Amino acid sequence: MSEIHSQWLNLRDDLRAWYARPAAAGPHPAVVVFIEAFGVNPHFQEVAERLARAGYCAIVPDIYHGKVYEYTDFPTAIAHLKSLDDRQVMAEAAIALDALGGRGEVRKDAMGALGFCMGGRYAFMANAIHAQRLSATVAFYGGGIAPEKDAVGREPLLHLAPQMQAPLLLLYGAKDSSIQPDEHGRIASALSTADKRYTLTVFPDAGHGFFSDRRDSYHEAAAKEGWRLTLDHYAQYLDGQA
């Protein structure tokens, strides 16, 4: 599928979202995408458009409210990350899900989540907070899910595991110094103890942020396989509900 449409949508006065959809009428499965700490930049517009070309409607809520930072401006981006309130982000995710549900080209019974870095944590959170609305979730190197002590002061999320219903795919890099192997273990233990369906994959030689080809940490092989696994996950748990 190659023909798509993409544009900014105003979800309410103070919240917009980048939206990409297949040109065909549908209805199509849909995915809400959670950003990294740098804002809804061209990379995330491209992520949404890649999903649209794969047959999904994709919405990227602008939880940074217009702010975009260069990948080299790490201190300012992290300062913005620290200012976020989890409850507000989940409320804005609900608004994005409502917007998807109100569109004729979207299948209301087949909505998923996808997140990267900061957004991987929010995708994990949404899989619990919005458990009744999501059918599949993917989180790339979600920082702050289960640290012993989070570097930016966020609350860990493992207490949310019992609320989850949708199958979860977690993707990490073995060379990610910010998410150590013991954190992988704590996440797996919590999900297994809660009797949840999940897959946790670690890519050798890949570091944090390996998916974005606009970052120095880009790892082509891991990015390509991670995307294939993501589409396979959605094909099974979103498309499979038709």
Side-chain angles (χ1 to χ4, degrees), residues 69-131:
Y69 305 102
E70 296 294 331
Y71 284 120
T72 53
D73 191 6
F74 192 75
T76 310
I78 293 302
H80 196 143
L81 179 158
K82 290 180 180 179
S83 74
L84 293 180
D85 179 86
D86 288 345
R87 290 168 298 181
Q88 179 179 339
V89 172
M90 288 298 101
E92 292 179 350
I95 292 169
L97 288 166
D98 288 343
L100 287 174
R103 300 187 69 89
E105 69 270 15
V106 172
R107 280 183 52 198
K108 314 307 186 281
D109 66 332
M111 293 194 285
L114 171 64
F116 299 81
C117 187
M118 171 187 83
R121 178 177 179 272
Y122 283 128
F124 186 95
M125 183 183 294
N127 204 48
I129 301 300
H130 300 303

Side-chain angles (χ1 to χ4, degrees), residues 45-206:
Q45 294 178 11
E46 291 171 2
V47 169
E49 289 164 0
R50 287 181 69 179
L51 285 166
R53 291 189 180 92
Y56 301 90
C57 298
I59 194 167
V60 190
D62 185 6
I63 61 174
Y64 268 20
H65 299 270
K67 297 291 186 180
V68 177
Y69 305 102
E70 296 294 331
Y71 284 120
T72 53
D73 191 6
F74 192 75
T76 310
I78 293 302
H80 196 143
L81 179 158
K82 290 180 180 179
S83 74
L84 293 180
D85 179 86
D86 288 345
R87 290 168 298 181
Q88 179 179 339
V89 172
M90 288 298 101
E92 292 179 350
I95 292 169
L97 288 166
D98 288 343
L100 287 174
R103 300 187 69 89
E105 69 270 15
V106 172
R107 280 183 52 198
K108 314 307 186 281
D109 66 332
M111 293 194 285
L114 171 64
F116 299 81
C117 187
M118 171 187 83
R121 178 177 179 272
Y122 283 128
F124 186 95
M125 183 183 294
N127 204 48
I129 301 300
H130 300 303
Q132 301 298 325
R133 309 183 71 175
L134 296 176
S135 300
T137 294
V138 179
F140 279 75
Y141 35 84
I145 293 174
E148 290 188 329
K149 183 178 181 180
D150 187 52
V152 296
R154 294 169 296 185
E155 292 295 324
L157 303 179
L158 295 186
H159 65 286
L160 296 175
Q163 296 175 222
M164 296 188 180
Q165 297 183 27
L168 184 64
L169 173 63
L170 301 158
L171 306 171
Y172 295 99
K175 302 300 185 184
D176 187 342
S177 61
S178 66
I179 306 174
Q180 297 293 320
D182 59 339
E183 184 166 350
H184 303 166
R186 287 191 292 274
I187 294 168
S189 179
L191 291 170
S192 292
T193 299
D195 196 26
K196 302 303 175 182
R197 179 65 183 267
Y198 71 96
T199 301
L200 192 154
T201 295
V202 178
F203 295 100
D205 301 320

